[in-house]
Amino acid sequence: MSGHRAPSLLLNDEQRMLKKTAQEFIREKAPAARLRVLRDSKDELGFSRAVWNEMAELGWLGLQIPEQYGGLGLGFFDLCIVLEQSGRELMPEPFISTLLLGTQALLLGGTNEQKQALLPGVAAGERLLAIGYEEAGAPVVAKRTTDGFELNGQKLQVLDGHAADRIIVSAATGGGGASLFLIDPSQAGVSTTRQHRIDGLSSAILSLDGVAVRNDAIVGEMGKGASLLEAVLERACAGASAQMLGASEQAFADTIEYIKEREQFGVPIGSFQALQHRAVAVFTEIALTRSVVLAAARAIDGAPDDVPRLTSLAKAMASETFLHAAKEAIQMHGGIGVTDEHDIGFYLKRAHAAYMSFGKPSQHRQRWAELHDY
Amino acid sequence: MSELDSFREEARAWVRENAPKSLWGTSGSGPFEGYWGGSKCEETDPDLLRWRDLGIEKQWTAPSWPIEYGGGGLSREQEDIIHAEMKAIGVPRPVAGQGLAMFGPVLLEYGNDAQRAQHLPGIARGEVRWCQGYSEPNAGSDLANLQLKAERDGDAYVLNGQKTWTSHADLSDWIYCLTRTNPNAPKKQMGISVILADLSTPGITVRRIDLISGYSPFCETFFDNVRVPVANLVGKENEGWTIAKAILGHERSSIGRSIARQPGSAQREVVARARKHFSAEEGAIPDPLIRDEIASLGMLEEAFHLTLARIQESAATGTPGPEGSITKIVGSELKQMRFELGMKVAGIQGLGWEGPGFDEDDLQYTRDWLRSRATTIEGGSSEIQKNIVSKRVLGLPEGKK
Ligand SMILES: Cc1cc2nc3c(=O)[nH]c(=O)nc-3n(C[C@H](O)[C@H](O)[C@H](O)COP(=O)(O)OP(=O)(O)OC[C@H]3O[C@@H](n4cnc5c(N)ncnc54)[C@H](O)[C@@H]3O)c2cc1C
């Protein structure tokens, strides 16, 4: 341990302001109850373009995108402030697919041309991105052709793949290596089938049948796709954890409010110690989770050596906290908590989905152990 | 460079130049680790004693106390920096203990000038050791139920009754007591006074209590017609409850900070024990479930340190977050988790009480594991902490408990 000063985990004045404005905007324009409406109306997208565009106008989609590509040039930490607020209302808009997966892949591995072509559109809310990397049975293979590659195979669970304007796909490029390719879903040979998830988000099955791409479709270095993807997923873990933190906070706040009001045996149920102590347990976990999420975001901006361990820590802890907060929220709401009419159930569904995404906590603990040489 | 940053450099340089090398890496540098002092102290380690003397000379044993009372006249931020620099190389504070961490700060706030002048310099120099006379047989969690009687008789209070669980009363010089000065007050919190007593006063007897660990860190303290000067009353008569709570506040945060030690140290300790007992010098710990548990411990430890830093940072900017109240709960759970895992990986080698067939480290570890069961009880149990958080932080209604 050197005695150096650890990066601050506090927000500065502008960041506090951003947090407040984002919270108010989202509470008003994008309450969690929207998930029911979007589901029941069988909305084609599963989210609102209008809300997304308004957020673009407020500058929130380009917070971390450099100014030369149409963004504000702030840090990942600032992006996490908005992500946390989006999590409070379980927003189904494409934060993870576009801002975390797609944009981070371009920022970390994209050429100047690729960034120039896509990032201004992302910041403006016009372009949506996705990444396909999960597969089963039919791995995607890229075969060399005279002027590029031909892609064949299938990707699963491509988050927002049904709505994306560009999808980055990992494919085996021989010699055990993989590379990332940028493809246009409207291209010949590409088809996407939307998958409806329990948590109101959508993913897609992406089939590639003789899809021809040029050499300049490669993102990052040829054959080094796996390590680039790992760096992207670390950032996705941090950003998803910020969303889970916000969601945990909201589920918890709703629960505290409920147990202060609901009366049984002539007293508010929040006066029962059996509930109080469990509420404190959730409160404690949320406080710890806040620290690790902030630390992971800070590391992404300025301490690259700490990124692997702190992002795994954030993902593991935020997943456990959110799931616990959601389960306790339902239990403390009683019968109403398990009805579709009440919003609290959406928190459980998202908690489970988020827990399973980007590595379960047990996988991150294993990675943590490896990173600490045991 | 800001003023604090240049102070940090100064503190770092001083600590690294002066702390005896044999002490480096030996301590978590918490407020309860190191030289506790007092007239009955039998410490012989010359380096520890030299470090104490250097600290006194530099006026850095109680950095933020006023100079006239043996302190260094520095700010709280500067004090935090000094302690952080000691922690960074793992040396103990030059003087530690209850007097510095708990009683002194409260006497500064609530005592009168004569009391401050009488007691604080001795604490800052490690010459006088203090203990806490709060708990009684019928006043544990329900502390306000205490009965130790203090009756006014001329220029003295006469004390009769008993304290219990008095940590290190046998090694201390003075005790700060919660006493019952008005048995007829309408609320039991209202008839309580804080009275200071020299433990050598006739009528005080101290008896040690053995713990499950085999140690006897605490005692029963009996008071039989003990005459204490009226001047030893701190604050006003019957208004001691506020002072009592202030001391408890210092105690809780000190326990949390003492448990913290160096970031990563709990994980390192358990990994080292697992390597030793599994004969696995390198690579993955062979038992994947144990490995997962160690990772959980390591993660909680890191989260705890980050949270302590965050609390300290927001306290320094004048807006302390509600998270302060959870440090005792989490810190004590973390400590128990660490010892439980450390015992689990030792298997039957952890069963030794004394004698042949067990190495010294394992015997000591087993005792420390047993001692760790007390952390969720001492200084207000975890259940009591949770009651406090649910009422004061979450604003939940008081109920039938
Ligand atoms: C190592 C150690 C050192 C100590 N040092 C000192 C010292 O120096 N000076 C001193 O004065 N005291 C000291 N104590 C005493 C300590 O403060 C008390 O042990 C503690 O406050 C608990 O009181 P009790 O032991 O009487 O337990 P009890 O109050 O009888 O509690 C027993 C159990 O009941 C639970 N409980 C009680 N009330 C409630 C409630 N309202 N809601 C839910 N659960 C409840 C408790 O959490 C606990 O689990 C020390 C204790 C230990 C273990």
Side-chain angles (χ1 to χ4, degrees):
Chain A
M1 271 288 296
S2 68
H4 78 96
R5 211 190 169 124
S8 169
L9 295 184
L10 299 188
L11 309 190
N12 63 28
D13 288 346
E14 290 90 66
Q15 288 164 337
R16 271 201 297 274
M17 195 62 202
L18 173 63
K19 176 174 177 169
K20 186 165 171 284
T21 345
Q23 184 171 0
E24 286 165 2
F25 173 88
I26 290 164
R27 188 180 292 157
E28 191 200 320
K29 300 277 169 86
R34 265 189 330 146
L35 289 174
R36 192 178 299 103
V37 180
L38 290 162
R39 179 196 66 194
D40 294 348
S41 65
K42 303 213 181 306
D43 187 272
E44 221 177 289
L45 273 178
F47 59 84
S48 159
R49 275 273 180 193
V51 170
W52 191 247
N53 288 339
E54 273 193 75
M55 295 187 79
E57 272 163 39
L58 289 160
W60 296 343
L61 306 187
L63 281 172
Q64 181 222 1
I65 293 175
E67 285 170 287
Q68 65 188 115
Y69 304 121
L72 295 179
L74 299 172
F76 192 84
F77 190 87
D78 302 86
L79 172 59
C80 282
I81 293 172
V82 171
L83 288 171
E84 181 187 332
Q85 299 313 314
S86 73
R88 290 190 86 108
E89 298 295 336
L90 307 175
M91 287 180 73
E93 277 67 23
F95 292 99
I96 292 183
S97 55
T98 299
L99 300 188
L100 291 172
L101 297 168
T103 298
Q104 304 309 320
L106 291 174
L107 288 175
L108 288 166
T111 61
N112 188 40
E113 288 74 32
Q114 288 167 339
K115 290 190 265 198
Q116 204 57 263
L118 294 170
L119 294 181
V122 168
E126 289 153 8
R127 281 205 189 262
L128 304 181
L129 307 175
I131 290 192
Y133 64 96
E134 303 270 11
E135 45 193 37
V140 173
V141 176
K143 210 167 54 194
R144 268 241 179 258
T145 57
T146 44
D147 58 349
F149 294 87
E150 185 189 294
L151 273 56
N152 284 289
Q154 199 174 61
K155 293 285 178 187
L156 302 174
Q157 293 279 355
V158 181
L159 198 61
D160 297 324
H162 67 304
D165 300 293
R166 290 287 183 280
I167 303 179
I168 295 169
V169 180
S170 61
T173 37
S179 308
L180 302 186
F181 293 91
L182 194 57
I183 62 165
D184 178 345
S186 64
Q187 234 176 307
V190 183
S191 69
T192 56
T193 313
R194 181 172 168 194
Q195 300 176 288
H196 298 262
R197 305 190 349 174
I198 51 168
D199 63 339
L201 300 191
S202 305
S203 53
I205 301 167
L206 172 71
S207 299
L208 306 171
D209 184 11
V211 177
V213 294
R214 295 206 323 242
N215 285 326
D216 64 4
I218 293 189
V219 180
E221 277 178 65
M222 172 81 182
K224 303 239 171 95
S227 59
L228 175 55
L229 187 61
E230 185 174 310
V232 171
L233 293 177
E234 283 171 348
R235 292 181 171 204
C237 280
S241 299
Q243 281 194 321
M244 288 191 272
L245 171 65
S248 310
E249 285 267 11
Q250 192 60 48
F252 182 66
D254 290 349
T255 305
I256 291 296
E257 198 179 323
Y258 185 76
I259 68 174
K260 280 181 186 169
E261 274 163 21
R262 166 78 176 162
E263 291 195 357
Q264 285 293 277
F265 301 98
V267 292
I269 57 172
S271 64
F272 300 132
Q273 197 179 47
L275 300 193
Q276 290 182 342
H277 284 196
R278 281 159 47 195
V280 173
V282 175
F283 172 78
T284 305
E285 285 168 33
I286 291 175
L288 293 167
T289 301
R290 174 167 299 284
S291 308
V292 302
V293 167
L294 294 171
R298 277 280 189 239
I300 288 170
D301 284 331
D305 291 350
D306 285 334
V307 168
R309 47 191 293 281
L310 290 180
T311 51
S312 272
L313 169 58
K315 178 63 177 62
M317 197 165 254
S319 302
E320 303 283 15
T321 298
F322 185 18
L323 191 57
H324 184 213
K327 288 193 289 194
E328 288 291 49
I330 289 194
Q331 180 67 19
M332 294 192 200
H333 275 80
I336 190 96
V338 287
T339 63
D340 184 58
E341 178 195 339
H342 200 286
D343 293 344
I344 205 72
F346 288 126
Y347 286 82
L348 177 69
K349 293 173 183 173
R350 179 65 62 78
H352 179 75
Y355 190 99
M356 293 298 160
S357 304
F358 309 122
K360 296 187 282 287
S362 57
Q363 291 167 301
H364 285 284
R365 286 195 293 270
Q366 187 175 336
R367 183 164 180 256
W368 168 277
E370 282 159 12
L371 290 165
H372 290 89
D373 297 322
Y374 65 88
Chain B
M1 192 160 40
S2 81
E3 242 170 79
L4 276 185
D5 283 336
S6 53
F7 182 78
R8 183 182 309 277
E9 297 210 335
E10 182 194 329
R12 181 174 312 165
W14 187 85
V15 168
R16 284 167 196 237
E17 260 160 47
N18 290 283
K21 282 283 181 298
S22 74
L23 302 181
W24 289 43
T26 63
S27 170
S29 322
F32 294 146
E33 288 172 79
Y35 179 80
W36 282 56
S39 66
K40 296 167 195 157
C41 179
E42 288 174 358
E43 185 57 61
T44 53
D45 177 352
D47 282 344
L48 211 53
L49 297 175
R50 188 156 62 87
W51 181 226
R52 171 200 66 186
D53 294 340
L54 287 167
I56 292 169
E57 195 186 317
K58 181 79 178 167
Q59 297 178 310
W60 276 10
T61 56
S64 67
W65 292 7
I67 292 175
E68 50 182 319
Y69 301 133
L74 301 174
S75 67
R76 285 300 302 270
E77 286 92 338
Q78 288 172 313
E79 176 168 290
D80 287 343
I81 286 172
I82 292 171
H83 293 152
E85 290 304 326
M86 291 175 183
K87 185 167 174 165
I89 58 166
V91 299
R93 300 179 185 184
V95 180
Q98 277 206 26
L100 279 172
M102 292 158 53
F103 174 64
V106 170
L107 194 67
L108 259 179
E109 194 177 341
Y110 295 95
N112 58 38
D113 286 346
Q115 289 167 337
R116 294 184 192 130
Q118 181 186 0
H119 297 300
L120 294 178
I123 293 175
R125 284 197 302 273
E127 288 166 4
V128 181
R129 180 162 172 173
W130 283 80
C131 64
Q132 178 187 56
Y134 273 29
S135 305
E136 297 178 11
N138 287 317
S141 299
D142 185 11
L143 183 59
N145 199 39
L146 60 99
Q147 304 299 336
L148 174 68
K149 212 169 16 169
E151 286 167 307
R152 189 73 188 260
D153 178 25
D155 59 357
Y157 284 107
V158 182
L159 273 49
N160 276 294
Q162 180 195 345
K163 290 290 171 186
T164 193
W165 316 141
T166 332
S167 291
H168 309 295
D170 52 337
L171 299 174
S172 297
D173 302 295
W174 279 74
I175 183 168
Y176 54 97
C177 288
L178 295 186
T179 63
R180 171 81 40 207
T181 35
N182 179 5
N184 305 315
K187 270 184 76 185
K188 50 191 182 180
Q189 284 82 358
M190 289 166 72
I192 293 170
S193 304
V194 177
I195 294 179
L196 313 179
D198 183 335
L199 282 163
S200 64
T201 316
I204 299 184
T205 6
V206 167
R207 198 164 73 204
R208 286 202 205 179
I209 306 172
D210 286 337
L211 259 59
I212 50 175
S213 59
Y215 302 141
S216 347
F218 56 26
C219 307
E220 291 174 293
T221 311
F222 299 93
F223 296 80
D224 183 16
N225 283 319
V226 176
R227 288 185 73 84
V228 174
V230 170
N232 289 7
L233 171 74
V234 181
K236 295 211 181 93
E237 195 177 87
N238 296 326
E239 292 180 14
W241 187 242
T242 312
I243 304 174
K245 283 193 295 185
I247 295 181
L248 282 175
H250 285 285
E251 178 168 15
R252 283 160 194 164
S253 67
S254 300
I255 290 177
R257 272 182 276 138
S258 275
I259 288 170
R261 308 191 307 161
Q262 265 82 28
S265 59
Q267 173 171 265
R268 276 195 300 276
E269 172 187 293
V270 176
V271 168
R273 282 178 66 78
R275 293 213 177 287
K276 169 179 156 184
H277 289 287
F278 295 174
S279 303
E281 272 157 43
E282 55 189 31
I285 299 292
D287 181 334
L289 294 184
I290 290 282
R291 185 170 176 237
D292 184 73
E293 285 191 61
I294 302 176
S296 294
L297 171 78
M299 285 185 163
L300 180 64
E301 181 181 31
E302 180 100 18
F304 181 56
H305 278 279
L306 289 167
T307 305
L308 284 178
R310 188 159 65 84
I311 290 169
Q312 197 162 30
E313 209 190 346
S314 64
T317 59
T319 47
E323 287 88 357
S325 45
I326 63 168
T327 54
K328 164 124 202 305
I329 301 176
V330 181
S332 52
E333 278 170 12
L334 179 66
K335 182 168 177 178
Q336 295 184 343
M337 193 173 162
R338 161 186 151 214
F339 278 108
E340 267 160 41
L341 258 178
M343 288 300 285
K344 221 187 238 186
V345 298
I348 54 170
Q349 280 306 110
L351 303 185
W353 181 251
E354 59 191 10
F358 302 101
D359 72 38
E360 272 309 312
D361 286 347
D362 285 339
L363 288 173
Q364 181 64 44
Y365 201 88
T366 300
R367 305 280 179 131
D368 290 343
W369 160 64
L370 287 162
R371 173 63 180 81
S372 76
R373 297 316 305 173
T375 52
T376 45
I377 301 169
E378 64 196 318
S381 71
S382 292
E383 287 78 14
I384 294 303
Q385 306 298 334
K386 287 179 184 174
N387 287 349
I388 293 172
V389 176
S390 71
K391 186 169 148 201
R392 305 237 186 93
V393 183
L394 304 182
L396 291 173
E398 192 108 44
K400 304 167 189 155
K401 285 176 183 167

